[in-house]
Amino acid sequence: MHDFQSLKSLIEAEINALQLEGNPKELYEPIRYSLSLNAKRVRPILTLAAAELFGGTLSKATKPALGMEVFHNFTLLHDDIMDNAPIRRSNPTVHARWGTNIAILSGDAMFVKACQLISEAESFCLKAVLDLFYATALEVCEGQQLDMNFEKISSIGIPDYIEMIRLKTAVLLAACLKAGALMSAASKNDADEIYAFGENMGLAFQLRDDLLDVYGESKFGKRVGGDILSNKKTFMLLKAMEVADKSQKEKLDFWMSPVPHQEEDKIQAVTEIFNTLNIKGFTENEIDFYYQKGLKNLHNISVGIERKGVLLNFTESLLQREI
Amino acid sequence: MHDFQSLKSLIEAEINALQLEGNPKELYEPIRYSLSLNAKRVRPILTLAAAELFGGTLSKATKPALGMEVFHNFTLLHDDIMDNAPIRRSNPTVHARWGTNIAILSGDAMFVKACQLISEAESFCLKAVLDLFYATALEVCEGQQLDMNFEKISSIGIPDYIEMIRLKTAVLLAACLKAGALMSAASKNDADEIYAFGENMGLAFQLRDDLLDVYGESKFGKRVGGDILSNKKTFMLLKAMEVADKSQKEKLDFWMSPVPHQEEDKIQAVTEIFNTLNIKGFTENEIDFYYQKGLKNLHNISVGIERKGVLLNFTESLLQREI
């Protein structure tokens, strides 16, 4: 078995070896660019780690694992158009660099590339892997649509938000793990448990991401307080609205109103309200809730505990980012 | 065997029966809308006709045939964003009706739906059908990119144009036929011949479409002369530039210059130059060239001639649109 750092190295080498030199170059250059940017490669690492957990060999799982990474980068590419985001991983987004049309089309081509890689799964599990992948891809689209819808709806509850991040983020992590399990002929029960593990850890991971947006250090070109500035209805803001008293609620409403605010003032004021309401504590509890559920899923998998260390270490490395 | 009209009825019924009622509705409504518009259903008819040509049963080929239609409509949806087209099949395009973001995302979801349907091919031919479909999908993206590139390049030759329409239009028709053949376990040779038949007929079909844009009657909400107005470098314009003398070339250059022109004047003037140069005759010859090549491919298929009538009738019905 390989530790997650060596799985990452393997994936980087395989990404570099992908044949993406086609014509016309306007179509393929943005694909190479997207995949060349510094990234954590979480999804293919999960697929390979799951494949090894159940005793499979890496070589059979590598192409579909890469497919998951290409698919993920395709969703980022199209999401960045929809969100009008100028920067991704400290670099210009594809639509900012090449224009919207090329971004739409090279994204489409990237999706096809992802499908090609995933369809390299061995024939004994091909249909199962495809069914899982396509169902997940639809869910990711649904999550992105909900995310866009929520910008315009004021009455979002915490369960709505959790469902949105489940679809937009957690199910793909879950599917990456389950795909690895399927390719190693894991039992149905184990495949379901590792899916649930990924779903719960995915929710924990996204909630941690939200927390870092307020309490983290600026990193990866993402500014601290971005969610506050854009009034994004994260768990943190929704929780704050839930537990705030009348005067705190009015203050939050004021800072979220379309009145022009100084950016730094807004971030500071909302953060102070979060501090008063212990939103950090609430969020850490919520993260821990999903983390513990995920650990239980991992525990339930019928594989010796000594084999589970890689996935556990990797998950911890993702969740124990400094605050 | 079924004639092509009854294949079309079958496909319409199957499209109506597709489960496209998911949530959020913003994602699924544009998909239902796109598929509900009046359409010729050429691609799934080809798949089903090819499946029957080689003795297969329709029921095994129906889902993948629908997948081809859903894929085609997905490409139209995204192309309409890129071309900023307001109207498709006499109705508002998805991006005109719901906005660009929803058009991008519901297009992506539609692509996933197409993949799901195509992956319903029987397991004995699943990998072959997927390989064909994905390779074709990439080529269609390449064709669309070339089409966009050609708007900005002045030195396009007729072979460039033929290659562009081959990728953008012909290969999908060819792949629809070949998919039907693969699902009916046709020989490699027959599968290749029916692919070539589709490719040649696809080129003929697109050239006929170009011809109708100048010499046809307004139909399906497409205005006559649209290609002339947009200076589209079709076979007809490229041929005209090739055979024009100096003064005719100058006239063409004048009408294609960014100087503002009265639309009707421009259409009339360019059409008159085309008439003088017998561009209609050149184009009909070119159509006939590919048509004859296609007939030869059909002839080469090792199936009794009495089985080939459906495909032949359908092809003729597509090509003998009134001029």
Side-chain angles (χ1 to χ4, degrees):
Chain A
M1 288 182 76
H2 298 74
D3 61 21
F4 69 84
Q5 289 89 348
S6 49
L7 293 176
K8 180 165 195 265
S9 308
L10 187 149
I11 289 154
E12 292 295 349
E14 291 284 339
I15 285 176
N16 286 332
L18 280 178
Q19 304 286 325
L20 298 167
E21 303 293 327
N23 273 312
K25 68 174 179 6
E26 290 81 0
L27 190 64
Y28 289 97
E29 204 182 335
I31 301 178
R32 292 197 299 275
Y33 173 78
S34 299
L35 291 171
S36 73
L37 298 181
N38 193 25
K40 295 196 292 292
R41 310 301 185 198
V42 173
R43 288 149 197 85
I45 290 174
L46 290 177
T47 301
L48 295 184
E52 283 203 320
L53 176 70
F54 295 105
T57 53
L58 286 188
S59 62
K60 310 275 176 148
T62 305
K63 288 258 167 68
L66 291 177
M68 294 297 192
E69 180 68 8
V70 175
F71 172 75
H72 172 61
N73 281 273
F74 145 70
T75 65
L76 298 180
L77 201 168
H78 273 192
D79 285 1
D80 283 341
I81 308 173
M82 296 179 234
D83 302 341
N84 204 14
I87 299 287
R88 164 75 60 188
R89 294 169 181 154
S90 312
N91 284 275
T93 49
V94 168
H95 73 99
R97 185 161 161 179
W98 284 282
T100 300
N101 283 356
I102 284 185
I104 293 173
L105 195 61
S106 61
D108 292 345
M110 215 164 158
F111 190 2
V112 181
K113 277 280 170 194
C115 291
Q116 286 182 319
L117 288 161
I118 285 164
S119 70
E120 293 294 316
E122 287 182 279
S123 56
F124 84 87
C125 61
L126 176 58
K127 186 64 167 64
V129 170
L130 290 174
D131 285 349
L132 170 68
F133 172 60
Y134 297 140
T136 304
L138 265 189
E139 289 180 320
V140 173
C141 291
E142 292 168 2
Q144 169 67 4
Q145 184 64 54
L146 287 178
D147 198 10
M148 297 196 296
N149 288 355
F150 288 1
E151 284 175 26
K152 294 171 200 150
I153 307 175
S154 54
S155 59
I156 304 302
I158 288 176
D160 301 319
Y161 178 72
I162 296 293
E163 175 64 2
M164 185 275 281
I165 63 173
R166 190 184 73 81
L167 291 167
K168 186 165 169 170
T169 302
V171 296
L172 182 57
L173 300 169
C176 287
L177 288 160
K178 186 170 175 177
L182 292 172
M183 289 189 281
S184 295
S187 71
K188 184 184 175 318
N189 198 55
D190 282 346
D192 290 343
E193 287 287 354
I194 205 164
Y195 183 91
F197 166 73
E199 212 174 13
N200 284 312
M201 292 307 186
L203 292 172
F205 179 57
Q206 184 58 52
L207 289 164
R208 167 72 44 148
D209 222 51
D210 297 347
L211 194 66
L212 288 173
D213 191 80
V214 180
Y215 292 103
E217 309 228 332
S218 179
K219 243 187 163 181
F220 304 116
K222 257 183 131 173
R223 68 182 296 174
V224 172
D227 288 346
I228 290 177
L229 287 178
S230 64
N231 294 342
K232 191 164 168 71
K233 297 179 193 86
T234 62
F235 173 84
M236 301 180 78
L237 180 59
L238 296 170
K239 194 73 194 174
M241 293 300 277
E242 186 184 303
V243 298
D245 63 22
K246 191 160 172 291
S247 109
Q248 288 161 331
K249 211 172 233 160
E250 279 168 7
K251 274 189 204 155
L252 279 170
D253 282 337
F254 165 74
W255 287 106
M256 289 165 61
S257 70
V259 186
H261 301 288
Q262 285 289 334
E263 295 198 341
E264 287 314 311
D265 292 350
K266 177 168 175 176
I267 293 171
Q268 204 190 328
V270 174
T271 306
E272 272 168 25
I273 300 170
F274 283 3
N275 290 343
T276 312
L277 297 170
N278 190 25
I279 296 303
K280 191 175 172 210
F282 279 115
T283 311
E284 283 169 344
N285 278 347
E286 190 83 1
I287 293 168
D288 199 54
F289 171 75
Y290 291 110
Y291 179 68
Q292 296 300 334
K293 278 180 81 172
L295 283 189
K296 206 167 281 175
N297 299 128
L298 189 63
H299 175 81
N300 289 343
I301 292 171
S302 63
V303 161
I305 194 165
E306 74 287 355
R307 300 189 73 84
K308 296 177 181 173
V310 179
L311 268 180
L312 200 58
N313 286 341
F314 184 48
T315 312
E316 306 245 299
S317 83
L318 290 175
L319 286 172
Q320 293 192 343
R321 287 156 62 184
E322 65 284 1
I323 292 198
Chain B
M1 286 182 78
H2 298 74
D3 61 20
F4 69 84
Q5 289 88 349
S6 48
L7 293 177
K8 181 168 194 264
S9 308
L10 186 149
I11 288 153
E12 292 295 351
E14 292 283 340
I15 284 176
N16 287 331
L18 279 179
Q19 305 286 326
L20 298 167
E21 304 292 328
N23 274 313
K25 67 175 180 7
E26 290 81 0
L27 190 65
Y28 289 97
E29 204 180 336
I31 301 178
R32 292 197 299 274
Y33 173 79
S34 299
L35 291 171
S36 72
L37 298 180
N38 194 23
K40 296 198 290 295
R41 312 299 185 197
V42 173
R43 289 150 195 84
I45 290 174
L46 290 176
T47 301
L48 295 184
E52 282 203 320
L53 177 70
F54 296 105
T57 52
L58 287 188
S59 61
K60 310 274 176 151
T62 305
K63 287 257 167 70
L66 292 178
M68 294 297 192
E69 179 69 9
V70 175
F71 173 74
H72 172 61
N73 281 272
F74 146 71
T75 65
L76 299 180
L77 201 168
H78 274 193
D79 285 2
D80 284 340
I81 309 174
M82 296 178 233
D83 302 342
N84 203 14
I87 299 289
R88 164 75 59 187
R89 295 168 180 155
S90 311
N91 284 275
T93 49
V94 168
H95 72 99
R97 185 160 162 181
W98 283 282
T100 300
N101 283 356
I102 283 184
I104 294 173
L105 194 61
S106 61
D108 292 344
M110 216 163 158
F111 189 4
V112 181
K113 278 279 169 195
C115 291
Q116 285 182 320
L117 287 161
I118 285 163
S119 70
E120 293 294 316
E122 287 182 280
S123 55
F124 84 88
C125 61
L126 176 59
K127 186 64 166 65
V129 170
L130 290 174
D131 285 350
L132 170 67
F133 171 61
Y134 297 140
T136 304
L138 264 189
E139 288 179 321
V140 173
C141 291
E142 291 168 2
Q144 168 68 2
Q145 184 65 53
L146 287 178
D147 198 10
M148 297 196 297
N149 288 355
F150 288 2
E151 285 175 25
K152 295 171 199 152
I153 307 174
S154 54
S155 59
I156 303 302
I158 288 176
D160 301 319
Y161 177 73
I162 296 293
E163 174 65 3
M164 185 275 282
I165 63 173
R166 190 184 73 80
L167 291 167
K168 187 166 167 167
T169 302
V171 296
L172 182 57
L173 300 169
C176 287
L177 288 160
K178 187 170 175 178
L182 293 172
M183 289 189 280
S184 296
S187 72
K188 185 184 175 319
N189 198 54
D190 282 346
D192 289 344
E193 287 287 354
I194 205 163
Y195 183 92
F197 165 73
E199 211 174 13
N200 285 312
M201 292 307 186
L203 292 172
F205 178 58
Q206 183 58 52
L207 289 164
R208 166 71 42 147
D209 221 51
D210 296 348
L211 194 66
L212 288 174
D213 191 81
V214 180
Y215 292 104
E217 309 227 333
S218 179
K219 243 188 165 184
F220 304 116
K222 257 182 132 173
R223 67 183 296 175
V224 171
D227 288 347
I228 290 177
L229 287 179
S230 64
N231 293 343
K232 190 163 169 74
K233 298 179 192 85
T234 63
F235 173 84
M236 301 180 78
L237 179 60
L238 296 169
K239 195 73 194 175
M241 293 300 278
E242 185 183 304
V243 298
D245 63 22
K246 191 160 170 291
S247 108
Q248 288 160 331
K249 211 172 233 159
E250 280 168 7
K251 274 190 205 155
L252 279 171
D253 282 336
F254 166 75
W255 287 107
M256 287 165 60
S257 69
V259 186
H261 302 290
Q262 284 289 334
E263 295 199 341
E264 287 314 312
D265 292 352
K266 177 169 175 175
I267 293 172
Q268 203 190 330
V270 174
T271 305
E272 271 168 25
I273 301 169
F274 283 3
N275 290 343
T276 314
L277 297 169
N278 189 26
I279 296 303
K280 191 174 172 210
F282 278 115
T283 310
E284 284 168 344
N285 279 346
E286 190 82 1
I287 293 169
D288 199 54
F289 170 76
Y290 290 110
Y291 178 68
Q292 296 301 333
K293 279 181 80 174
L295 283 187
K296 205 167 283 175
N297 298 127
L298 189 63
H299 175 81
N300 289 342
I301 292 172
S302 63
V303 160
I305 194 164
E306 74 287 354
R307 300 190 71 85
K308 296 177 181 173
V310 179
L311 267 179
L312 200 58
N313 287 342
F314 184 49
T315 312
E316 306 244 297
S317 81
L318 290 175
L319 286 171
Q320 293 192 343
R321 286 156 61 182
E322 64 285 2
I323 291 197

